[in-house]
Amino acid sequence: MIIPSTDDDGRNDPLEEGPEFHAHYMHMALAEARQAAEEEEVPIGAVIVHGERVVARAHNQREQLRDPTAHAEMIAITQAAQSLNSWRLEGCVLYVTLEPCPMCAGAIVQARIPTVVYGASDPKAGAVESLYRLLSDPRLNHRCQVVPGVLRDACAEVLSRFFQQQRQLGKK
């Protein structure tokens, strides 16, 4: 049996966890994305885990709230900060179904989230690896470890299906 390494406070290091560990939480984020699709929102879901406890779950709500900042990551970061009673989300892992945009990547840096795990890449707005590398930019005061491509196909499929349906309806 392989025992994962732990960080200084005895918790497992998320970067050394196996794919099943990350897939478990990404499935939760996918459930949030599916909920968004049911609400006719772009289906992106996010989950924030502290230790092994889920402290936030969210999905896009831009249409519902009429708020351009109501991305899944932004809502989850706010929830996690309230749950942990701190704006510093040290020791947290953010799971999100789509590579974060520049706004969300900026919020991730500001919240000091150490690890981001995402599913599908975003070639049009991705600010983690696709267009920009905000989470690893040495000029910023905080950098994140990134685990890309967890359940990539499932995450991409939710988005593709949603936009295909929207086009058939003459929307988006």
Side-chain angles (χ1 to χ4, degrees), residues 129-170:
E129 294 181 332
S130 295
L131 293 180
Y132 307 103
R133 294 182 178 270
L134 290 178
L135 300 186
S136 60
D137 191 322
R139 297 170 294 179
L140 298 175
N141 64 331
H142 174 74
R143 282 166 293 293
C144 303
Q145 298 295 319
V146 176
V147 180
V150 173
L151 299 181
R152 174 190 341 256
D153 294 342
C155 292
E157 174 62 26
V158 169
L159 285 160
S160 295
R161 191 175 331 118
F162 174 79
F163 285 113
Q164 182 180 32
Q165 290 170 347
Q166 293 297 302
R167 284 189 296 274
Q168 288 173 350
L169 296 171

Side-chain angles (χ1 to χ4, degrees), residues 82-120:
Q82 290 172 349
S83 174
L84 298 172
N85 200 31
S86 176
W87 64 268
R88 289 181 181 90
L89 300 184
E90 297 162 340
C92 290
V93 179
L94 168 65
Y95 291 87
V96 61
T97 57
L98 183 66
E99 178 182 3
C101 71
M103 174 183 68
C104 294
I108 291 164
V109 169
Q110 291 300 314
R112 311 295 196 269
I113 297 174
T115 307
V116 174
V117 179
Y118 70 87

Side-chain angles (χ1 to χ4, degrees), residues 33-98:
R34 290 183 185 103
Q35 179 64 39
E38 288 178 18
E39 296 172 11
E40 296 190 28
E41 297 279 355
V42 174
I44 299 170
V47 171
I48 297 180
V49 178
H50 184 259
E52 293 183 20
R53 185 176 74 124
V54 174
V55 294
R57 294 176 69 131
H59 56 272
N60 273 11
Q61 294 184 17
R62 293 189 312 171
E63 300 295 336
Q64 187 176 10
L65 298 177
R66 294 176 183 85
D67 179 354
T69 69
H71 289 201
E73 302 96 318
M74 300 294 284
I75 296 168
I77 288 169
T78 298
Q79 288 176 359
Q82 290 172 349
S83 174
L84 298 172
N85 200 31
S86 176
W87 64 268
R88 289 181 181 90
L89 300 184
E90 297 162 340
C92 290
V93 179
L94 168 65
Y95 291 87
V96 61
T97 57
L98 183 66

